[in-house]
Coordinates of all heavy atoms in Angstrom, one line a residue:
G1 N 6.3 -23.3 -5.8 CA 6.1 -22.6 -4.7 C 4.6 -22.2 -4.5 O 3.8 -22.2 -5.5
S2 N 4.2 -22.1 -3.3 CA 2.8 -21.8 -3.0 C 2.6 -20.6 -2.1 O 3.5 -20.2 -1.3 CB 2.2 -23.0 -2.1 OG 0.9 -22.7 -1.7
C3 N 1.5 -19.8 -2.4 CA 1.3 -18.6 -1.6 C 0.3 -18.9 -0.4 O -0.1 -17.9 0.2 CB 0.5 -17.7 -2.6 SG 1.7 -16.8 -3.8
R4 N 0.0 -20.1 -0.2 CA -0.8 -20.4 0.9 C -0.3 -19.9 2.2 O 0.9 -19.9 2.6 CB -0.9 -22.0 1.1 CG -1.9 -22.5 2.0 CD -1.9 -24.0 1.9 NE -2.9 -24.5 2.9 CZ -3.1 -25.7 3.1 NH1 -2.7 -26.6 2.4 NH2 -4.0 -26.1 4.0
Y5 N -1.2 -19.2 2.9 CA -0.9 -18.6 4.2 C -0.1 -17.2 4.1 O 0.3 -16.6 5.1 CB -0.2 -19.4 5.2 CG -0.9 -20.7 5.5 CD1 -0.4 -21.9 5.3 CD2 -2.3 -20.5 6.0 CE1 -1.1 -23.1 5.4 CE2 -3.0 -21.8 6.3 CZ -2.4 -23.0 6.0 OH -3.1 -24.2 6.2
R6 N 0.1 -16.7 2.8 CA 0.9 -15.5 2.7 C 0.3 -14.8 1.4 O 0.4 -15.5 0.4 CB 2.3 -15.7 2.7 CG 2.9 -16.3 1.4 CD 4.3 -16.4 1.4 NE 4.8 -17.1 2.5 CZ 5.7 -18.1 2.7 NH1 6.3 -18.3 1.5 NH2 6.1 -18.7 3.6
C7 N 0.0 -13.6 1.5 CA -0.2 -12.8 0.4 C 0.1 -11.3 0.9 O -0.5 -10.9 1.9 CB -1.8 -12.8 0.1 SG -2.3 -14.4 -0.6
C8 N 1.0 -10.6 0.2 CA 1.4 -9.3 0.7 C 1.1 -8.3 -0.3 O 1.2 -8.5 -1.6 CB 2.9 -9.4 0.9 SG 3.5 -10.7 2.0
P9 N 0.8 -7.0 0.2 CA 0.4 -6.0 -0.7 C 1.7 -5.3 -1.1 O 2.8 -5.5 -0.5 CB -0.4 -5.1 0.1 CG 0.2 -5.3 1.5 CD 0.4 -6.8 1.7
G10 N 1.7 -4.6 -2.3 CA 2.9 -3.9 -2.8 C 4.1 -4.8 -3.1 O 3.9 -5.9 -3.5
R11 N 5.2 -4.1 -3.0 CA 6.5 -4.9 -3.3 C 7.1 -5.3 -2.0 O 7.6 -4.5 -1.2 CB 7.4 -4.0 -4.1 CG 8.6 -4.7 -4.5 CD 9.4 -3.9 -5.5 NE 10.4 -4.8 -6.2 CZ 11.1 -4.3 -7.3 NH1 10.8 -3.1 -7.8 NH2 11.9 -5.1 -7.9
N12 N 7.1 -6.6 -1.7 CA 7.6 -7.1 -0.5 C 8.6 -8.3 -0.7 O 8.1 -9.4 -1.0 CB 6.5 -7.5 0.3 CG 7.0 -7.9 1.8 OD1 8.1 -8.3 2.1 ND2 6.0 -8.0 2.7
N13 N 9.9 -8.1 -0.7 CA 10.8 -9.1 -1.0 C 10.9 -10.2 0.0 O 11.5 -11.2 -0.3 CB 12.3 -8.5 -1.3 CG 12.3 -7.6 -2.5 OD1 11.5 -7.8 -3.4 ND2 13.3 -6.6 -2.6
A14 N 10.3 -10.0 1.2 CA 10.3 -11.0 2.2 C 9.1 -11.9 1.9 O 9.0 -13.0 2.7 CB 10.1 -10.4 3.5
C15 N 8.3 -11.7 1.0 CA 7.0 -12.5 0.8 C 7.2 -13.4 -0.4 O 6.7 -13.2 -1.5 CB 5.9 -11.5 0.5 SG 4.3 -12.3 0.6
W16 N 8.0 -14.5 -0.1 CA 8.3 -15.4 -1.2 C 8.2 -16.8 -0.7 O 8.1 -17.1 0.4 CB 9.9 -15.1 -1.7 CG 10.9 -15.4 -0.6 CD1 11.3 -14.5 0.3 CD2 11.5 -16.6 -0.4 NE1 12.2 -15.1 1.1 CE2 12.5 -16.4 0.7 CE3 11.5 -17.9 -1.0 CZ2 13.2 -17.3 1.2 CZ3 12.4 -18.9 -0.4 CH2 13.3 -18.6 0.6
A17 N 8.3 -17.8 -1.7 CA 8.3 -19.2 -1.3 C 9.2 -19.9 -2.2 O 9.6 -19.3 -3.4 CB 6.9 -19.8 -1.6
P18 N 9.9 -21.1 -1.9 CA 10.7 -21.8 -2.8 C 9.9 -22.2 -4.0 O 8.9 -22.8 -3.9 CB 11.2 -22.9 -2.0 CG 10.4 -23.0 -0.8 CD 9.6 -21.7 -0.6
G19 N 10.5 -22.0 -5.2 CA 9.8 -22.2 -6.5 C 10.6 -23.4 -7.1 O 11.5 -24.1 -6.5
A20 N 10.3 -23.6 -8.4 CA 11.0 -24.7 -9.1 C 12.5 -24.3 -9.3 O 12.9 -23.1 -9.5 CB 10.2 -24.8 -10.5
R21 N 13.3 -25.3 -9.5 CA 14.8 -25.1 -9.7 C 15.4 -24.2 -8.6 O 16.2 -23.4 -9.0 CB 15.0 -24.6 -11.1 CG 14.5 -25.5 -12.1 CD 14.9 -25.0 -13.5 NE 14.2 -25.8 -14.6 CZ 13.3 -25.3 -15.3 NH1 12.9 -24.0 -15.3 NH2 12.7 -26.1 -16.3
R22 N 15.0 -24.3 -7.4 CA 15.6 -23.5 -6.3 C 15.4 -22.1 -6.5 O 16.1 -21.3 -5.8 CB 17.1 -23.9 -6.1 CG 17.2 -25.4 -5.7 CD 18.6 -25.7 -5.4 NE 18.9 -27.1 -5.2 CZ 19.9 -27.6 -4.9 NH1 21.0 -26.8 -4.9 NH2 20.1 -28.8 -4.7
A23 N 14.6 -21.6 -7.4 CA 14.3 -20.1 -7.5 C 13.2 -19.7 -6.6 O 12.5 -20.6 -6.1 CB 14.0 -19.8 -9.0
H24 N 13.3 -18.5 -6.2 CA 12.2 -17.9 -5.4 C 11.0 -17.5 -6.4 O 11.2 -17.1 -7.4 CB 12.6 -16.6 -4.7 CG 13.6 -16.8 -3.7 ND1 14.2 -15.8 -2.9 CD2 14.2 -17.9 -3.2 CE1 15.0 -16.2 -2.0 NE2 15.1 -17.6 -2.2
C25 N 9.8 -17.7 -5.8 CA 8.6 -17.1 -6.4 C 7.9 -16.3 -5.4 O 8.2 -16.5 -4.2 CB 7.7 -18.2 -7.0 SG 7.0 -19.3 -5.8
Y26 N 7.2 -15.3 -5.9 CA 6.7 -14.2 -4.9 C 5.2 -14.2 -4.7 O 4.5 -14.7 -5.7 CB 7.3 -12.9 -5.2 CG 8.8 -12.8 -5.2 CD1 9.5 -13.1 -6.2 CD2 9.3 -12.3 -4.0 CE1 11.0 -13.1 -6.0 CE2 10.7 -12.3 -3.8 CZ 11.5 -12.7 -4.9 OH 12.9 -12.6 -4.7
C27 N 4.8 -13.8 -3.5 CA 3.3 -13.7 -3.2 C 2.9 -12.3 -3.0 O 2.0 -12.1 -2.2 CB 3.0 -14.7 -2.1 SG 3.5 -16.3 -2.4
D28 N 3.7 -11.3 -3.5 CA 3.3 -9.9 -3.2 C 2.6 -9.4 -4.5 O 2.8 -10.0 -5.6 CB 4.5 -9.1 -2.8 CG 5.6 -9.1 -3.9 OD1 5.5 -9.7 -4.9 OD2 6.6 -8.4 -3.7
S29 N 1.9 -8.3 -4.4 CA 1.0 -8.0 -5.6 C 2.0 -7.5 -6.7 O 1.6 -7.4 -7.8 CB 0.1 -6.8 -5.2 OG 0.6 -5.7 -4.6
Y30 N 3.2 -7.1 -6.4 CA 4.1 -6.7 -7.5 C 4.5 -7.7 -8.3 O 5.1 -7.5 -9.5 CB 5.4 -5.9 -6.8 CG 6.1 -5.1 -7.7 CD1 5.7 -3.8 -8.0 CD2 7.4 -5.5 -8.3 CE1 6.4 -3.0 -8.9 CE2 8.1 -4.7 -9.2 CZ 7.7 -3.4 -9.5 OH 8.3 -2.7 -10.3
C31 N 4.4 -9.0 -7.9 CA 4.9 -10.1 -8.7 C 4.3 -10.2 -10.0 O 4.6 -10.8 -11.0 CB 4.8 -11.4 -8.1 SG 3.0 -12.0 -7.8
Q32 N 3.0 -9.5 -10.2 CA 2.3 -9.6 -11.4 C 3.1 -8.6 -12.5 O 3.0 -8.9 -13.7 CB 0.8 -9.1 -11.3 CG 0.0 -10.1 -10.5 CD -1.5 -9.7 -10.5 OE1 -1.8 -8.6 -10.8 NE2 -2.2 -10.7 -10.2
R33 N 3.8 -7.7 -12.1 CA 4.5 -6.8 -12.9 C 5.7 -7.4 -13.3 O 6.3 -7.2 -14.5 CB 4.7 -5.5 -12.2 CG 3.6 -4.6 -12.1 CD 3.9 -3.2 -11.7 NE 2.7 -2.4 -11.4 CZ 2.7 -1.2 -11.0 NH1 3.7 -0.6 -10.9 NH2 1.5 -0.5 -10.9
T34 N 6.4 -8.1 -12.4 CA 7.7 -8.7 -12.7 C 7.6 -10.1 -13.2 O 8.6 -10.7 -13.6 CB 8.6 -8.7 -11.4 OG1 7.8 -9.3 -10.4 CG2 8.9 -7.3 -11.0
G35 N 6.4 -10.8 -13.1 CA 6.2 -12.0 -13.7 C 6.8 -13.2 -12.8 O 7.1 -14.3 -13.5
D36 N 7.0 -12.9 -11.6 CA 7.6 -14.0 -10.8 C 6.8 -14.5 -9.7 O 7.2 -14.8 -8.6 CB 9.0 -13.6 -10.3 CG 9.0 -12.3 -9.5 OD1 7.9 -11.8 -9.3 OD2 10.1 -11.8 -9.2
C37 N 5.4 -14.5 -10.0 CA 4.4 -15.0 -8.9 C 4.6 -16.5 -8.8 O 4.9 -17.3 -9.7 CB 3.0 -14.7 -9.4 SG 2.8 -13.0 -9.5
C38 N 4.2 -16.9 -7.5 CA 4.1 -18.3 -7.3 C 2.9 -18.9 -8.1 O 2.0 -18.1 -8.5 CB 3.8 -18.6 -5.8 SG 5.4 -18.2 -4.8
R39 N 2.9 -20.1 -8.4 CA 1.9 -20.8 -9.2 C 0.4 -20.5 -8.8 O -0.5 -20.4 -9.7 CB 2.1 -22.2 -9.6 CG 2.1 -23.1 -8.3 CD 2.3 -24.5 -8.7 NE 2.8 -25.4 -7.5 CZ 2.4 -25.5 -6.3 NH1 1.4 -24.7 -5.9 NH2 2.8 -26.3 -5.5
D40 N 0.1 -20.4 -7.6 CA -1.2 -20.2 -7.1 C -1.5 -18.8 -6.6 O -2.5 -18.6 -6.0 CB -1.4 -21.2 -5.9 CG -0.6 -21.0 -4.7 OD1 0.4 -20.3 -4.9 OD2 -0.9 -21.6 -3.7
Y41 N -0.6 -17.9 -7.0 CA -0.8 -16.5 -6.5 C -2.3 -16.0 -6.9 O -2.9 -15.6 -6.0 CB 0.2 -15.5 -7.1 CG -0.1 -14.1 -6.9 CD1 0.2 -13.6 -5.6 CD2 -0.7 -13.3 -7.8 CE1 -0.2 -12.3 -5.3 CE2 -1.0 -12.0 -7.5 CZ -0.8 -11.5 -6.3 OH -1.0 -10.1 -6.0
L42 N -2.7 -16.1 -8.1 CA -4.0 -15.5 -8.5 C -5.0 -16.1 -7.8 O -6.0 -15.5 -7.2 CB -4.2 -15.6 -10.0 CG -3.3 -14.7 -10.9 CD1 -3.6 -15.0 -12.3 CD2 -3.7 -13.2 -10.6
A43 N -5.1 -17.5 -7.6 CA -6.2 -18.2 -7.1 C -6.1 -17.9 -5.5 O -7.3 -17.7 -5.0 CB -6.0 -19.6 -7.2
T44 N -5.0 -17.8 -4.9 CA -5.0 -17.6 -3.4 C -5.1 -16.2 -3.0 O -5.8 -15.9 -2.1 CB -3.6 -18.2 -3.0 OG1 -3.5 -19.5 -3.3 CG2 -3.5 -18.1 -1.4
C45 N -4.5 -15.3 -3.7 CA -4.3 -14.0 -3.1 C -5.3 -12.9 -3.7 O -5.8 -12.0 -3.1 CB -2.9 -13.4 -3.5 SG -1.7 -14.3 -2.6
R46 N -5.7 -13.2 -5.0 CA -6.7 -12.2 -5.6 C -8.2 -12.4 -5.1 O -8.9 -11.6 -5.1 CB -6.6 -12.4 -7.1 CG -5.4 -12.0 -7.7 CD -5.0 -10.6 -7.7 NE -6.0 -9.8 -8.6 CZ -5.9 -8.5 -8.8 NH1 -4.8 -7.8 -8.2 NH2 -6.6 -7.8 -9.5
R47 N -8.4 -13.6 -4.4 CA -9.7 -13.8 -4.0 C -10.1 -12.8 -3.0 O -11.3 -12.2 -2.9 CB -9.7 -15.2 -3.3 CG -11.0 -15.8 -3.1 CD -11.1 -17.2 -2.6 NE -9.9 -18.0 -3.2 CZ -9.2 -18.8 -2.4 NH1 -9.6 -19.1 -1.2 NH2 -8.2 -19.5 -2.9
A48 N -9.3 -12.4 -2.1 CA -9.6 -11.4 -1.1 C -9.0 -9.9 -1.4 O -8.9 -9.1 -0.5 CB -9.0 -11.8 0.3
A49 N -8.6 -9.8 -2.7 CA -8.1 -8.5 -3.1 C -9.1 -7.4 -2.9 O -10.3 -7.4 -3.2 CB -7.6 -8.6 -4.6
V50 N -8.6 -6.3 -2.5 CA -9.4 -5.0 -2.4 C -8.5 -3.9 -3.2 O -7.4 -3.6 -2.9 CB -9.5 -4.6 -1.0 CG1 -10.2 -3.1 -0.9 CG2 -10.3 -5.6 -0.2
G51 N -9.1 -3.4 -4.2 CA -8.5 -2.4 -5.1 C -8.5 -1.0 -4.4 O -9.3 -0.8 -3.5
C52 N -7.6 -0.2 -4.8 CA -7.5 1.1 -4.2 C -8.7 1.9 -4.6 O -9.1 1.9 -5.8 CB -6.2 1.8 -4.6 SG -6.0 3.4 -4.1
A53 N -9.1 2.8 -3.8 CA -10.2 3.8 -4.1 C -9.6 5.1 -3.7 O -9.0 5.3 -2.6 CB -11.5 3.4 -3.3
V54 N -9.9 6.1 -4.5 CA -9.5 7.6 -4.2 C -10.6 8.5 -4.2 O -11.7 8.2 -4.8 CB -8.4 8.0 -5.2 CG1 -7.2 7.1 -5.1 CG2 -9.0 8.0 -6.6
G55 N -10.6 9.6 -3.6 CA -11.5 10.5 -3.4 C -11.5 11.6 -4.7 O -10.6 11.3 -5.5
P56 N -12.3 12.6 -4.7 CA -12.3 13.5 -5.8 C -11.1 14.4 -5.8 O -10.4 14.5 -4.7 CB -13.6 14.3 -5.6 CG -13.7 14.2 -4.1 CD -13.3 12.9 -3.6
W57 N -10.7 14.9 -6.8 CA -9.7 15.9 -6.9 C -9.9 17.1 -6.1 O -11.1 17.6 -6.2 CB -9.4 16.3 -8.4 CG -8.6 15.2 -9.3 CD1 -9.3 14.5 -10.2 CD2 -7.3 14.7 -9.1 NE1 -8.4 13.5 -10.7 CE2 -7.2 13.7 -10.0 CE3 -6.2 15.1 -8.4 CZ2 -6.0 13.1 -10.3 CZ3 -5.0 14.5 -8.6 CH2 -4.8 13.5 -9.5
G58 N -9.0 17.7 -5.5 CA -9.1 18.9 -4.8 C -8.9 20.1 -5.8 O -8.7 19.9 -7.0
P59 N -9.1 21.2 -5.4 CA -9.0 22.4 -6.3 C -7.5 22.7 -6.6 O -6.6 22.2 -6.1 CB -9.5 23.6 -5.4 CG -9.3 23.3 -4.1 CD -9.4 21.7 -4.0
W60 N -7.4 23.2 -7.9 CA -6.0 23.5 -8.3 C -5.6 24.8 -7.5 O -6.3 25.7 -7.0 CB -6.2 24.1 -9.8 CG -6.4 23.0 -10.7 CD1 -7.5 22.8 -11.4 CD2 -5.3 22.1 -11.3 NE1 -7.3 21.7 -12.2 CE2 -6.0 21.3 -12.3 CE3 -4.0 21.9 -11.0 CZ2 -5.4 20.2 -12.9 CZ3 -3.4 20.9 -11.7 CH2 -4.1 20.1 -12.6
S61 N -4.2 24.7 -7.1 CA -3.6 25.7 -6.4 C -3.4 27.1 -7.2 O -3.7 26.9 -8.5 CB -2.1 25.2 -6.0 OG -1.3 25.1 -7.1
G62 N -3.0 28.0 -6.6 CA -2.7 29.2 -7.4 C -1.4 29.1 -8.2 O -0.7 28.1 -7.9
C63 N -1.2 29.8 -9.1 CA 0.0 29.7 -10.0 C 1.3 30.0 -9.1 O 1.3 31.0 -8.3 CB -0.1 30.7 -11.2 SG 1.2 30.5 -12.4
S64 N 2.2 29.2 -9.3 CA 3.4 29.4 -8.4 C 4.3 30.5 -8.7 O 5.2 31.0 -7.9 CB 4.4 28.1 -8.6 OG 4.9 27.9 -10.0
S65 N 4.1 31.2 -9.9 CA 4.7 32.5 -10.3 C 3.7 33.5 -10.4 O 2.7 33.4 -11.2 CB 5.5 32.3 -11.6 OG 6.0 33.4 -11.9
P66 N 3.8 34.6 -9.7 CA 2.8 35.7 -9.9 C 3.0 36.3 -11.2 O 2.0 36.9 -11.8 CB 3.1 36.6 -8.7 CG 4.6 36.4 -8.3 CD 4.8 34.9 -8.7
C67 N 4.1 36.3 -11.9 CA 4.3 37.0 -13.2 C 5.1 36.0 -14.1 O 6.1 35.6 -13.7 CB 5.1 38.3 -13.1 SG 4.4 39.5 -12.0
G68 N 4.6 35.5 -15.1 CA 5.3 34.7 -16.1 C 4.8 33.2 -15.7 O 4.0 32.9 -15.1
V69 N 5.7 32.3 -16.3 CA 5.4 30.9 -16.4 C 5.6 30.2 -15.0 O 6.6 30.4 -14.4 CB 6.4 30.1 -17.4 CG1 6.1 28.7 -17.4 CG2 6.1 30.8 -18.8
G70 N 4.6 29.5 -14.6 CA 4.7 28.8 -13.3 C 4.0 27.5 -13.5 O 3.8 26.9 -14.6
S71 N 3.5 26.9 -12.3 CA 2.7 25.7 -12.3 C 1.7 25.7 -11.2 O 1.7 26.4 -10.3 CB 3.6 24.5 -12.1 OG 4.3 24.5 -10.8
R72 N 0.6 24.9 -11.5 CA -0.4 24.6 -10.5 C -0.5 23.2 -10.1 O 0.0 22.4 -11.0 CB -1.8 25.1 -11.1 CG -2.0 26.5 -11.5 CD -3.3 26.7 -12.2 NE -3.6 28.0 -12.6 CZ -4.3 28.9 -11.8 NH1 -4.9 28.5 -10.8 NH2 -4.6 30.2 -12.3
A73 N -1.1 22.9 -8.9 CA -1.0 21.5 -8.5 C -2.4 21.2 -7.8 O -2.9 22.2 -7.3 CB 0.1 21.2 -7.6
R74 N -2.8 20.0 -7.9 CA -3.9 19.6 -7.2 C -3.6 18.1 -6.8 O -2.8 17.5 -7.3 CB -5.2 19.7 -8.0 CG -5.4 18.7 -9.1 CD -6.7 18.9 -9.8 NE -6.9 18.0 -10.9 CZ -8.0 17.9 -11.5 NH1 -9.1 18.5 -11.3 NH2 -8.1 16.9 -12.5
S75 N -4.4 17.6 -5.7 CA -4.2 16.4 -5.3 C -5.6 15.7 -4.8 O -6.5 16.5 -4.8 CB -3.3 16.4 -4.1 OG -3.8 17.2 -3.0
R76 N -5.4 14.5 -4.6 CA -6.6 13.7 -4.0 C -6.1 12.7 -2.9 O -4.9 12.3 -2.9 CB -7.5 13.0 -5.1 CG -6.7 12.1 -5.9 CD -7.5 11.5 -7.1 NE -6.7 10.7 -8.0 CZ -7.2 10.2 -9.1 NH1 -8.4 10.4 -9.4 NH2 -6.4 9.5 -10.0
Q77 N -7.0 12.1 -2.2 CA -6.6 11.3 -1.1 C -7.0 9.9 -1.3 O -8.0 9.7 -2.0 CB -7.2 11.7 0.2 CG -6.8 13.1 0.7 CD -5.3 13.3 1.0 OE1 -4.8 12.5 1.5 NE2 -4.7 14.3 0.5
V78 N -6.3 8.9 -0.8 CA -6.7 7.6 -0.8 C -7.8 7.4 0.2 O -7.6 7.7 1.4 CB -5.5 6.6 -0.5 CG1 -6.0 5.2 -0.3 CG2 -4.4 6.8 -1.6
T79 N -8.9 6.8 -0.2 CA -10.0 6.4 0.7 C -9.9 5.1 1.2 O -10.4 4.7 2.3 CB -11.4 6.8 0.1 OG1 -11.6 6.1 -1.1 CG2 -11.5 8.3 -0.1
V80 N -9.6 4.1 0.3 CA -9.4 2.8 0.7 C -8.0 2.3 0.1 O -7.9 2.2 -1.2 CB -10.5 1.8 0.0 CG1 -10.4 0.3 0.4 CG2 -11.9 2.3 0.5
P81 N -7.1 1.9 0.9 CA -5.8 1.5 0.3 C -5.9 0.1 -0.3 O -6.7 -0.7 0.2 CB -4.9 1.5 1.6 CG -5.8 1.5 2.8 CD -7.1 2.1 2.3
P82 N -5.1 -0.3 -1.1 CA -5.2 -1.6 -1.8 C -4.7 -2.7 -0.8 O -3.8 -2.4 0.0 CB -4.2 -1.5 -3.0 CG -3.3 -0.4 -2.7 CD -4.1 0.5 -1.9
R83 N -5.4 -3.8 -0.8 CA -5.0 -4.9 0.1 C -5.0 -6.2 -0.7 O -5.8 -6.4 -1.6 CB -6.0 -5.0 1.2 CG -5.8 -3.8 2.2 CD -6.6 -4.0 3.5 NE -8.0 -4.2 3.2 CZ -9.0 -3.2 3.3 NH1 -8.5 -2.0 3.5 NH2 -10.2 -3.4 3.0
H84 N -4.0 -7.1 -0.2 CA -4.0 -8.5 -0.8 C -4.0 -8.5 -2.3 O -4.5 -9.3 -2.9 CB -5.2 -9.3 -0.4 CG -5.5 -9.2 1.1 ND1 -4.5 -9.7 2.0 CD2 -6.5 -8.7 1.9 CE1 -5.0 -9.5 3.3 NE2 -6.2 -8.9 3.2
G85 N -3.1 -7.6 -2.9 CA -2.9 -7.7 -4.2 C -3.9 -7.0 -5.1 O -4.0 -7.2 -6.3
G86 N -4.7 -6.1 -4.5 CA -5.8 -5.4 -5.3 C -5.2 -4.4 -6.2 O -3.9 -4.1 -6.0
D87 N -5.9 -3.7 -7.0 CA -5.5 -2.7 -7.9 C -4.7 -1.7 -7.2 O -5.2 -1.1 -6.2 CB -6.6 -2.2 -8.9 CG -7.1 -3.2 -9.8 OD1 -6.3 -4.2 -10.2 OD2 -8.3 -3.1 -10.1
P88 N -3.5 -1.3 -7.7 CA -2.8 -0.1 -7.0 C -3.6 1.2 -7.2 O -4.3 1.3 -8.0 CB -1.5 -0.2 -7.8 CG -1.7 -0.8 -9.2 CD -2.8 -1.7 -8.9
C89 N -3.0 2.2 -6.4 CA -3.7 3.5 -6.5 C -3.2 4.2 -7.7 O -2.0 4.2 -8.1 CB -3.3 4.3 -5.3 SG -3.9 3.6 -3.8
P90 N -4.2 5.1 -8.3 CA -3.8 5.9 -9.4 C -3.0 7.1 -8.8 O -2.7 7.2 -7.6 CB -5.1 6.3 -10.0 CG -6.0 6.2 -8.9 CD -5.5 5.2 -8.0
D91 N -2.6 7.9 -9.7 CA -1.8 9.1 -9.3 C -2.6 9.9 -8.4 O -3.8 10.1 -8.5 CB -1.5 10.0 -10.6 CG -0.4 9.4 -11.5 OD1 0.3 8.5 -11.0 OD2 -0.3 9.7 -12.6
L92 N -1.9 10.4 -7.3 CA -2.6 11.2 -6.4 C -2.4 12.7 -6.5 O -3.0 13.6 -5.8 CB -2.2 10.8 -4.9 CG -2.5 9.4 -4.6 CD1 -1.9 9.0 -3.2 CD2 -4.0 9.0 -4.7
K93 N -1.4 13.1 -7.4 CA -1.1 14.5 -7.5 C -1.1 14.8 -9.0 O -0.6 13.9 -9.9 CB 0.3 14.8 -7.0 CG 0.3 14.7 -5.5 CD 1.6 15.2 -5.0 CE 1.5 15.1 -3.4 NZ 2.7 15.5 -2.7
Q94 N -1.4 16.0 -9.5 CA -1.3 16.4 -10.9 C -0.8 17.9 -10.8 O -1.0 18.6 -10.0 CB -2.7 16.5 -11.5 CG -3.3 15.2 -11.9 CD -4.6 15.3 -12.7 OE1 -5.4 16.3 -12.5 NE2 -4.9 14.3 -13.4
R95 N 0.0 18.1 -11.9 CA 0.5 19.4 -12.0 C 0.4 19.8 -13.5 O 0.4 19.1 -14.4 CB 2.1 19.3 -11.8 CG 2.8 20.6 -11.7 CD 4.1 20.4 -11.2 NE 4.2 20.0 -9.8 CZ 4.0 20.7 -8.8 NH1 3.9 22.0 -8.8 NH2 4.2 20.3 -7.6
R96 N 0.1 21.1 -13.7 CA 0.0 21.7 -15.0 C 0.7 23.1 -15.0 O 0.7 23.7 -14.0 CB -1.4 21.8 -15.4 CG -2.4 22.6 -14.8 CD -3.8 22.7 -15.3 NE -4.6 23.7 -14.7 CZ -6.0 23.8 -14.9 NH1 -6.5 22.9 -15.6 NH2 -6.6 24.7 -14.4
G97 N 1.0 23.5 -16.1 CA 1.5 24.9 -16.4 C 0.6 26.0 -16.2 O -0.8 25.7 -16.3
C98 N 1.0 27.2 -15.9 CA 0.1 28.3 -15.8 C 1.0 29.6 -16.1 O 2.2 29.6 -16.2 CB -0.5 28.4 -14.5 SG 0.7 28.5 -13.1
L99 N 0.2 30.7 -16.4 CA 1.0 31.9 -16.6 C 0.4 32.9 -15.6 O -0.7 33.3 -15.6 CB 0.6 32.4 -18.0 CG 1.4 33.7 -18.5 CD1 2.9 33.5 -18.5 CD2 0.9 34.1 -19.9
G100 N 1.3 33.4 -14.7 CA 0.9 34.3 -13.7 C 0.6 35.6 -14.2 O 1.4 36.2 -15.0
Q101 N -0.5 36.2 -13.8 CA -0.9 37.5 -14.3 C -1.4 38.4 -13.3 O -2.6 39.0 -13.3 CB -2.1 37.3 -15.4 CG -1.6 36.5 -16.5 CD -2.8 36.3 -17.6 OE1 -3.9 36.4 -17.3 NE2 -2.3 35.8 -18.8
H102 N -0.6 38.5 -12.2 CA -0.9 39.5 -11.0 C -1.1 40.8 -11.5 O -0.3 41.2 -12.5 CB 0.1 39.3 -10.0 CG -0.2 39.8 -8.8 ND1 0.1 41.2 -8.4 CD2 -0.8 39.4 -7.6 CE1 -0.5 41.5 -7.2 NE2 -1.0 40.4 -6.7
P103 N -1.9 41.7 -11.0 CA -2.0 43.1 -11.5 C -0.7 43.9 -11.5 O -0.5 44.9 -12.3 CB -3.0 43.7 -10.6 CG -3.9 42.4 -10.0 CD -2.9 41.3 -10.0
T104 N 0.2 43.5 -10.7 CA 1.4 44.3 -10.5 C 2.4 43.9 -11.5 O 3.5 44.5 -11.7 CB 2.0 44.2 -9.1 OG1 2.3 42.8 -8.9 CG2 1.1 44.7 -8.1
C105 N 2.2 42.8 -12.4 CA 3.2 42.3 -13.2 C 3.5 43.4 -14.4 O 4.5 43.6 -14.7 CB 2.7 41.2 -13.9 SG 2.5 39.7 -12.9
G106 N 2.5 44.1 -14.9 CA 2.7 45.1 -15.9 C 3.4 46.3 -15.4 O 4.1 46.9 -16.2
T107 N 3.4 46.5 -14.1 CA 4.1 47.8 -13.6 C 5.6 47.6 -13.3 O 6.4 48.4 -13.1 CB 3.5 48.3 -12.3 OG1 3.5 47.3 -11.4 CG2 2.0 48.8 -12.7
A108 N 6.0 46.2 -13.3 CA 7.3 45.9 -13.0 C 8.4 46.0 -14.1 O 9.5 45.8 -14.0 CB 7.4 44.4 -12.6
K109 N 7.8 46.4 -15.3 CA 8.6 46.6 -16.4 C 9.6 47.8 -16.2 O 10.5 48.1 -16.6 CB 7.9 46.8 -17.7 CG 7.1 45.6 -18.1 CD 6.3 45.9 -19.3 CE 5.5 44.7 -19.8 NZ 4.6 44.9 -20.9

């Protein structure tokens, strides 16, 4: 099978070509993970690949619990989405634990 005239980003089950032994081979960027790329995928599709680019992390949010165990979160935005089988985006959100210590916590006992 050949990827000529077709290269799809992400996982796209409609982006296939007839391969050897009547099996489908794929021309989407996910085929590298599943190992079912068409024989010319790398040469044809990676040539014009654009990898994902992301901006800086935003600030951490406040603790979700004013008193006791909670979590904080932060995020970042995609500045350039991946195209033509380029590197996928890294995580866009992070979460970590925190301990809420609002001044009123001690008086709630």
Side-chain angles (χ1 to χ4, degrees):
S2 174
C3 290
R4 192 171 172 180
Y5 304 119
R6 75 173 56 129
C7 291
C8 306
R11 186 174 196 163
N12 185 342
N13 290 338
C15 193
W16 63 274
R21 299 187 188 114
R22 296 184 183 178
H24 290 178
C25 63
Y26 293 86
C27 300
D28 59 1
S29 56
Y30 197 77
C31 75
Q32 292 188 343
R33 290 187 183 185
T34 54
D36 54 4
C37 297
C38 292
R39 59 176 158 50
D40 62 347
Y41 172 78
L42 288 176
T44 304
C45 299
R46 296 292 288 187
R47 200 174 323 144
V50 175
C52 181
V54 294
W57 287 106
W60 286 101
S61 68
C63 193
S64 62
S65 174
C67 301
V69 178
S71 63
R72 295 176 181 263
R74 70 178 181 171
S75 62
R76 59 185 172 181
Q77 302 294 318
V78 172
T79 56
V80 178
R83 290 190 298 271
H84 309 296
D87 291 333
C89 295
D91 289 339
L92 299 176
K93 294 183 179 181
Q94 285 184 335
R95 188 172 296 278
R96 71 178 183 190
C98 61
L99 185 60
Q101 297 177 345
H102 193 272
T104 61
C105 294
T107 61
K109 292 179 182 176

